[in-house]
Amino acid sequence: MNGERHETVVIGAGQAGLAVGQQLARRGRECVILDGSVRIGDNWRSHWDSLRLYSPARYDGLPGMRFPAPGWSFPGKDQVADYLEAYAERFDLPVRTGVRVTRLSPADTGDTTGAGSTGNTDGLDGAGGWVVETDRGRLLAENAVVATGTFGRGPYVPPFAPELDPRILQLHSCEYRNEGRLRDGPVLVVGASHSGADVAYEVAGRHRTVLCGRETGQIPLTLEARSTRLAFPVLWRIADRVLTTGTPFGRRMRDEVRTHGGPLLRVKAADLARAGVERVPERMTGVRDGMPLLDGGRVVEVANVVWCTGFRQDFGWIDAPVTGPDGWPREHRGVVGDAPGLYFCGLAFQRAFSSMLIGGAGKDAAVVAKHIAARERRLHRADRREHVLTAA
């Protein structure tokens, strides 16, 4: 596919990328969606076995297709993967799997020398645009949408992790599948957001378990309780319309979520206590004699460490100054103002708290697709005017 030209290239075929593709198609705009996985939904299939969504199925649909499960059930990760695959098929979305994007560069339409990473970008009709380099060749696009995931491309573990005794099994949450993969002996779960709490609760049945990390708070409801069904519409409205980047409280929560993770959702502090999990508010700050060291000076003797420490933001593959001091893209609702034609979708708290949930991807995608459609109309009007003037 070397040298292909597209109006829009969407990078990533998760819920955000597929929603962008569907919204562009609704507006009659052309695109191609690239994903490095072998199969649509593989990112979800790779999560731990017991993972379920934190929102009920009636709130988990993407634009134009409800989630095929009982409305008040909480779908598992394989159900989500199959839904995404069926969604792409339903709307005949132009997804190419097994294509990994390695670099994204602004196209210099005046450069026909092949210099730099952009090379010959002739053919973008003066629209600027982007060069998308992949392991299968290079594409040219007037617009590029980065939809690579909520928290980034790579798992984060602290730099002192290699100093741990080699006899300690270390797994990041993206590598953990079930407690059967752990070695006999105690477990330290590092990171006390909702994923850390879920993993600690699960492994505590067969292992002495310590959960360390700062408190992130918890929602005051039990997700599966019947009474929560009455409250959930209000909760969703708050997550989707109140906790947004347009409100002071929403912006404060965005910074908290992006820095420290979200509140406990399914497994709460009382659940951890009943399961026998030792909850330690200190952070792990180093290693002493091969064992984890907490910032209070305590050394924890363990046979396993599960890193629930999130994912690192890595936008170094984008050849444009798109990130701010905090490492997050400088965008407003997915639109990068100082890089025309560049968009993001699927970022944590991109528009609202709901942006991190499948049901929130549609609104974010609609904003991006609407902006792309308007940009294309402007570019084509300008192109027509230029042709008229040239002919005259």
Side-chain angles (χ1 to χ4, degrees), residues 109-382:
T109 55
D111 176 14
T112 58
T113 65
S117 61
T118 59
N120 187 341
T121 58
D122 189 31
L124 288 175
D125 300 325
W130 296 84
V131 179
V132 185
E133 298 179 21
T134 80
D135 57 1
R136 300 292 184 88
R138 188 184 67 173
L139 298 87
L140 308 179
E142 293 176 3
N143 311 282
V145 182
V146 179
T148 51
T150 301
F151 286 100
R153 276 191 161 193
Y156 170 78
V157 296
F160 49 75
E163 301 173 22
L164 287 170
D165 190 311
R167 291 172 294 182
I168 295 176
L169 175 66
Q170 299 185 55
L171 294 174
H172 190 271
S173 60
C174 68
E175 302 168 307
Y176 172 80
R177 297 293 175 270
N178 53 60
E179 67 86 25
R181 291 194 61 184
L182 301 178
R183 295 175 180 169
D184 292 338
V187 179
L188 175 66
V189 178
V190 182
S193 186
H194 48 266
S195 60
D198 287 1
V199 171
Y201 181 80
E202 179 170 283
V203 303
R206 296 182 59 180
H207 300 263
R208 183 171 68 81
T209 303
V210 178
L211 172 63
C212 73
R214 68 187 300 277
E215 299 284 349
T216 59
Q218 60 185 30
I219 64 170
L221 299 169
T222 301
L223 289 182
E224 283 83 0
R226 292 184 64 87
S227 58
T228 303
R229 298 183 183 183
L230 299 176
F232 210 93
V234 177
L235 290 176
W236 184 262
R237 187 178 183 88
I238 292 172
D240 192 55
R241 301 188 182 184
V242 178
L243 298 178
T244 73
T245 56
T247 67
F249 187 68
R251 288 191 292 272
R252 286 197 298 272
M253 176 164 279
R254 176 194 60 187
D255 294 340
E256 183 69 17
V257 167
R258 287 184 169 185
T259 304
H260 301 296
L264 303 187
L265 299 173
R266 175 167 286 113
V267 174
K268 311 293 180 49
D271 300 316
L272 294 170
R274 282 193 294 271
V277 175
E278 181 185 356
R279 179 69 178 90
V280 181
E282 291 97 348
R283 297 178 301 116
M284 181 181 170
T285 55
V287 177
R288 180 181 294 168
D289 298 328
M291 290 293 161
L293 174 67
L294 305 185
D295 58 6
R298 175 184 172 184
V299 174
V300 186
E301 299 278 341
V302 294
N304 307 272
V305 172
V306 182
W307 301 105
C308 294
T309 42
F311 296 81
R312 57 187 171 86
Q313 288 297 335
D314 178 14
F315 297 109
W317 54 281
I318 302 178
D319 284 336
V322 298
T323 57
D326 60 356
W328 288 82
R330 291 180 285 104
E331 47 74 37
H332 178 66
R333 297 197 171 185
V335 180
V336 182
D338 54 0
L342 179 62
Y343 302 86
F344 287 84
C345 196
L347 294 173
F349 224 117
Q350 178 167 307
R351 179 191 58 84
F353 188 92
S354 62
S355 295
M356 299 179 289
L357 306 173
I358 291 180
K363 277 191 176 181
D364 292 7
V367 171
V368 169
K370 182 179 179 180
H371 196 279
I372 289 174
R375 179 172 188 265
E376 287 303 314
R377 288 193 296 270
R378 289 194 303 271
L379 290 174
H380 293 163
R381 283 197 299 267

